Amino acid sequence: MDCQILDGKAVAEKVLERVREKAQALSARGIVPGLATVLVGDDPASAVYVGQKIKRCEANGFNSIHVPLTADVTEEKLLDKIGELNDDPKVHGIIVQLPLPKHLNPEKILPALDPGKDADGLHPSNQGRWIQLKGWDEVLSSGIPLPCTPAGVMEILKHYQIPISGAHAVVVGRSSLVGKPLASMLLAANATVTVCHSRSNNLPEFCRQADILVAALGRPKFIKADMVKEESVVIDVGISRTPEGLKGDVDFEEVKSVAGAITPVPRGVGPMTVAMLLWNTVKAAETRVASD
Ligand SMILES: NC(=O)c1ccc[n+]([C@@H]2O[C@H](COP(=O)([O-])OP(=O)(O)OC[C@H]3O[C@@H](n4cnc5c(N)ncnc54)[C@H](OP(=O)(O)O)[C@@H]3O)[C@@H](O)[C@H]2O)c1
């Protein structure tokens, strides 16, 4: 059987259609959803990511409020700026682009965001709240902003009606940004979840057991055909810039001859991350309007 290509760009476009509908309904009431992007320093990759987010905002009827700060900004000044954005009624979502320069501790900065404006879904109180809910439907209907990349993966699985309940999902990577929250989401959706990391023994053996294999380790073309079960679903979260261009963590050409379905890089998980960011922002604007 041919391997199905899971087109994240197309799924992201579906999410963005719903985002635009909500943005238009808000605009009709005089409210334009606003996303503030805080970029500290001049890391070229971060500047590209923030640029993409601003472009997407503008293309979907959002106000974009860009806040560039120099790499030597003090913690106090950054916290003051976040406080101003928290108080600004035109701002419904805020992101602080990571990574931050070494002298700034994200564990101190991210909790300073108003949890109601947490566009990235990384505020510890939001993460703590949804993780305690039992089922995935309950998580989705809670309205709590979810971390964008893992939520985007769940949206791809839903769109392609990939059975999660009872499946064995193996997540390679345990970062707070991707691996850990995605493992919790899959668990809430009743998968049996194994999380692997750099200290896991027998990694290929675990990968070969996966009905759903998620690669989120940041090592280009790491997952080879002999690490993948036949007809399994392979989700490639990785994005690395290599001399051959953007590459995922999965050796796409090799693995597509074994897997039943696979996300490509680019046009896979990447576009979903930005779509979910806009989703979190428009939902935050709706919540704000409902409570005013
Ligand atoms: N598509 C998107 O929108 C999107 C969004 C976010 C991230 N990403 C990409 O996703 C990848 C992962 O991002 P991240 O932020 O989660 O990275 P990260 O914070 O560097 O975490 C990487 C994880 O992979 C594990 N790992 C590293 N090498 C390994 C190996 N050889 N075998 C098994 N596990 C290994 C690490 O294990 P330890 O914990 O033991 O160190 C860690 O848990 C990167 O390529 C990143 O660019 C893409």
Side-chain angles (χ1 to χ4, degrees):
M1 270 213 338
D2 280 349
C3 177
Q4 182 182 22
I5 306 300
L6 307 175
D7 184 346
K9 185 112 186 4
V11 183
E13 197 38 55
K14 294 248 174 241
V15 174
L16 289 173
E17 270 169 31
R18 286 157 63 209
V19 165
R20 280 192 294 274
E21 277 167 23
K22 287 180 178 296
Q24 277 158 12
L26 285 165
S27 291
R29 300 174 64 177
I31 291 123
V32 181
L35 176 68
T37 48
V38 180
L39 175 63
V40 183
D42 46 17
D43 174 58
S46 293
V48 170
Y49 290 138
V50 169
Q52 286 168 349
K53 290 167 189 173
I54 292 173
K55 216 167 107 191
R56 278 281 160 199
C57 265
E58 290 168 355
N60 288 283
F62 282 45
N63 258 336
S64 165
I65 302 103
H66 184 46
V67 183
L69 297 168
T70 55
D72 60 356
V73 69
T74 60
E75 181 182 281
E76 194 188 358
K77 179 128 190 265
L78 176 56
L79 290 173
D80 281 351
K81 196 72 219 171
I82 291 172
E84 277 172 35
L85 296 169
N86 283 344
D87 292 340
D88 185 339
K90 291 192 296 303
V91 172
H92 302 98
I94 306 169
I95 61 160
V96 176
Q97 184 66 35
L98 300 177
L100 289 167
K102 286 209 164 47
H103 68 284
L104 298 167
N105 181 359
E107 282 170 26
K108 189 139 185 218
I109 303 300
L110 295 180
L113 261 67
D114 175 346
K117 296 190 176 188
D118 176 24
D120 265 333
L122 297 178
H123 193 289
S125 79
N126 286 328
Q127 299 235 46
R129 281 171 62 214
W130 70 259
I131 228 153
Q132 292 184 53
L133 300 175
K134 193 155 184 286
W136 181 236
D137 288 343
E138 209 184 320
V139 173
L140 281 181
S141 60
S142 70
I144 301 166
L146 302 174
C148 298
T149 304
V153 170
M154 295 299 285
E155 198 64 30
I156 292 177
L157 296 173
K158 179 173 146 203
H159 177 87
Y160 285 100
Q161 299 180 352
I162 289 165
I164 301 177
S165 184
H168 184 190
V170 175
V171 180
V172 186
R174 58 172 166 181
S175 71
S176 305
L177 195 62
V178 186
K180 247 191 264 186
L182 182 54
S184 299
M185 290 177 187
L186 290 161
L187 197 58
N190 294 327
T192 302
V193 182
T194 301
V195 182
C196 297
H197 45 78
S198 68
R199 311 291 171 86
S200 297
N201 292 331
N202 306 323
L203 178 75
E205 213 168 282
F206 284 113
C207 293
R208 276 193 293 274
Q209 291 172 24
D211 302 308
I212 300 170
L213 176 63
V214 181
L217 62 157
R219 302 274 180 272
K221 295 166 98 172
F222 183 91
I223 303 287
K224 302 289 182 189
D226 62 2
M227 297 166 77
V228 173
K229 181 159 98 174
E230 273 191 32
E231 294 304 311
S232 60
V233 174
V234 178
I235 304 289
D236 190 352
V237 178
I239 303 180
S240 300
R241 284 165 210 282
T242 76
E244 304 160 47
L246 277 192
K247 291 288 163 203
D249 288 342
V250 176
D251 190 327
F252 181 82
E253 288 308 320
E254 265 197 23
V255 169
K256 80 175 190 318
S257 62
V258 183
I262 187 169
T263 57
V265 176
R267 291 186 71 93
V269 174
M272 290 305 297
T273 298
V274 186
M276 299 316 287
L277 176 72
L278 267 56
W279 177 258
N280 280 344
T281 304
V282 83
K283 290 287 287 177
E286 279 185 346
T287 306
R288 170 62 62 95
V289 170
S291 68
D292 278 348

